């Protein structure tokens, strides 16, 4: 497109210059020839000879160039002669000064009332002798020529060049679109392929056509996609194998652990009749068996989440009463401050067993690793007119959670303190808690309180018609 526009502009400029130059040269040549043939002014002429020579010169130039619309003016000092009219206002002062001081013809193109004119000024000189320089005679001839014909030629050229430029622009656009489509088509295909790969379709491949850089890029993409598909398939195979291994080991351990737990229960019943060393050994075995049994149960629960076999057994319950039962079942009522809504205010459908695991893990974690007082608060938070959340917060007054441990606190087998690597915690409690919350469609987060201690926040979706209208009434401490 730039080339077509540039070519059109250059063509117009050159054609216009050529037409005007040719017309100008032709007019000046004819004018000089007519002046040379018509002007006869002797040196030091009288005023009568000058006046007669002016009229003769003007008529001679006009007679030699009839039907061309010329207007001729002859001057000698203050004497003037003109034909066919006295309209010579197009002679500029600059052109007059040039004619008076120079020995060559000068010209100027002017535009008056929308019409172009060529104005020519020519001094009349004579030779004083052979081989000497010509001298100004004091007489000057002026010519005003309308250039309507040349203007029509230029306008016709403009129209022709415009049409040719439009055609060239159309061809340029078509060629540009064809060239761009040839480049953009494989680029768009590459973009679609990368999007599909990002969505998990690792078997996507590109069609390779040609041998240019885009074809090389398509081949490189196909090789990369094939290598990535193999790597991801191998990782998935290893991950599935690891999950099956954990599930199989956990399942196989449950039976012997159940037998060991039964034996330790019998031995614990007779521990009072055993000596001190035997009783201490029995206590260690009983505690180890209990921790191993809890770890196996946690691993079984994690394997269910990984396999997508975890399901909810929903039941509509009162969350405040349920939390009280959870604390009472574990003997934590005297260790936890509760700020709960009145019974019947907050009811929703949850899986009681899984919610019990969530509350037990959060409160137990605060009691073990925090410092009193441990508080449990519950409220309803409205997000929109038709969406509300049951918000449960468990806070403690301990040292809080280290900043570097905060992003990993819900990861499996992660322990925030390296000194607890041999503690009774398996590092799965908070991971199972997060999975259970997400299974309910809820959210869980952790932060440090400004005054010290950690705060765990659980948000469970609550339909608006389940929450009581007076949920914002003051909560009583129990």
């Amino acid at each position: 497109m730039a080339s077509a526009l540039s070519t059109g502009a250059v063509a117009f400029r050159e054609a216009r210059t050529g037409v005007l130059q040719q017309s100008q040269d032709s007019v000046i040549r004819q004018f000089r020839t007519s002046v040379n043939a018509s002007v006869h002014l002797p040196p030091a002429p009288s005023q009568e000879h000058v006046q007669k020579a002016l009229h003769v010169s003007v008529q001679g130039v006009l007679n030699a160039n009839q039907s061309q619309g010329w207007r001729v003016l002859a001057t000698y000092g203050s004497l003037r002669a003109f034909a066919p009219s006295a309209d010579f206002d197009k002679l500029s002062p600059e052109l007059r000064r040039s004619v008076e001081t120079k020995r060559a013809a000068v010209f100027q193109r002017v535009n008056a009332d929308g019409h172009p004119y060529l104005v020519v000024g020519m001094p009349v000189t004579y030779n004083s002798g052979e081989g000497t320089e010509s001298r100004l005679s004091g007489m000057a001839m002026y010519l005003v020529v309308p250039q309507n014909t040349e203007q029509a030629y230029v306008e016709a050229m403009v129209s022709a060049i415009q049409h040719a430029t439009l055609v060239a622009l159309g061809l340029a656009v078509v060629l540009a679109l064809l060239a761009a489509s040839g480049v953009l088509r494989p680029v768009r295909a590459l973009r679609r392929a990368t999007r599909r790969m990002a969505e998990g379709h690792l078997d996507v491949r590109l069609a390779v056509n040609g041998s240019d850089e885009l074809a090389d890029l398509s081949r490189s993409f196909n090789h990369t996609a094939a290598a990535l598909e193999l790597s991801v398939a191998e990782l998935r195979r290893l991950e599935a194998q690891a999950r099956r291994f954990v599930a199989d080991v956990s399942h196989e351990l449950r039976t012997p652990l159940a037998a060991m737990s039964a034996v330790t229960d019998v031995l614990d019943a007779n521990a009072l009749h055993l000596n001190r060393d035997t009783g201490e050994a029995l206590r260690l075995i009983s505690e180890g068996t209990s921790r191993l049994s809890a770890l196996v149960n946690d691993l079984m629960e994690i394997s269910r989440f990984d396999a997508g076999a975890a399901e909810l057994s929903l039941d509509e319950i009162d969350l405040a009463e349920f939390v009280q039962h959870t604390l009472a079942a574990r003997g934590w009522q005297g260790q936890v401050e509760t700020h709960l809504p009145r019974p019947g205010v907050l009811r929703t459908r949850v899986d009681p067993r899984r919610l019990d695991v969530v509350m037990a893990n959060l409160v137990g974690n605060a009691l073990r690793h925090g410092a009193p007082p441990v508080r449990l608060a519950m409220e309803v938070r409205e997000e929109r007119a038709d969406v509300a959340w049951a918000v449960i917060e468990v806070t403690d007054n301990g040292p809080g959670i280290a900043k570097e441990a905060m992003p990993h606190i819900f990861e499996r087998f992660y322990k925030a303190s390296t000194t607890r690597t041999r503690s009774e915690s398996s590092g799965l409690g908070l991971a199972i808690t997060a999975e259970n919350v997400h299974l309910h469609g809820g959210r869980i987060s952790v932060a440090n309180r400004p005054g010290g201690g950690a705060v765990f926040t659980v948000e469970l979706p609550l339909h608006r018609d389940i929450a009581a209208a007076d949920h914002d009434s003051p909560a009583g401490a129990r």
Side-chain angles (χ1 to χ4, degrees), residues 119-141:
V119 181
V120 182
M122 181 180 300
V124 176
T125 62
Y126 65 90
N127 295 328
S128 58
E130 188 174 341
T132 61
E133 185 180 358
S134 61
R135 292 186 299 170
L136 295 175
S137 64
M139 181 178 175
M141 300 290 294

Side-chain angles (χ1 to χ4, degrees), residues 202 225-240:
L202 300 180
L228 182 61
E229 184 180 15
L230 291 176
S231 300
V232 171
E234 181 65 16
L235 290 175
R236 288 175 177 172
R237 186 186 66 81
L238 294 176
E239 184 181 8

Side-chain angles (χ1 to χ4, degrees), residues 127-270:
N127 295 328
S128 58
E130 188 174 341
T132 61
E133 185 180 358
S134 61
R135 292 186 299 170
L136 295 175
S137 64
M139 181 178 175
M141 300 290 294
Y142 295 95
L143 172 66
V144 177
V145 183
Q147 290 194 305
N148 296 324
T149 303
E150 289 77 6
Q151 181 67 22
Y153 287 157
V154 171
E155 291 177 355
M157 283 190 300
V158 169
S159 178
I161 292 174
Q162 284 180 344
H163 287 88
T165 303
L166 289 176
V167 174
L169 280 176
L171 293 176
V173 170
V174 172
L175 291 175
L177 290 177
L178 291 175
S181 63
V183 174
L184 294 179
R185 191 182 302 110
V187 174
R188 293 193 184 103
L190 179 61
R191 181 181 60 186
R192 290 192 297 268
T194 53
R195 287 181 178 175
R196 286 183 54 81
M197 182 177 290
E199 294 171 356
H201 303 281
L202 300 180
D203 58 341
V204 62
R205 297 293 184 272
L206 292 175
V208 180
N209 297 315
S211 58
D212 55 3
E213 288 81 0
L214 292 174
D216 292 340
L217 180 61
S218 299
R219 293 189 188 92
S220 299
F221 176 85
N222 290 340
H223 293 326
T224 303
L228 182 61
E229 184 180 15
L230 291 176
S231 300
V232 171
E234 181 65 16
L235 290 175
R236 288 175 177 172
R237 186 186 66 81
L238 294 176
E239 184 181 8
Q241 184 177 356
R243 289 177 178 176
R244 285 196 303 270
F245 175 77
V246 172
D248 293 342
V249 170
S250 302
H251 181 75
E252 294 298 329
L253 287 176
R254 294 189 69 178
T255 300
L257 279 176
M260 292 173 62
S261 298
V263 172
T264 55
D265 290 340
V266 173
L267 293 177
D268 286 339
N270 298 321

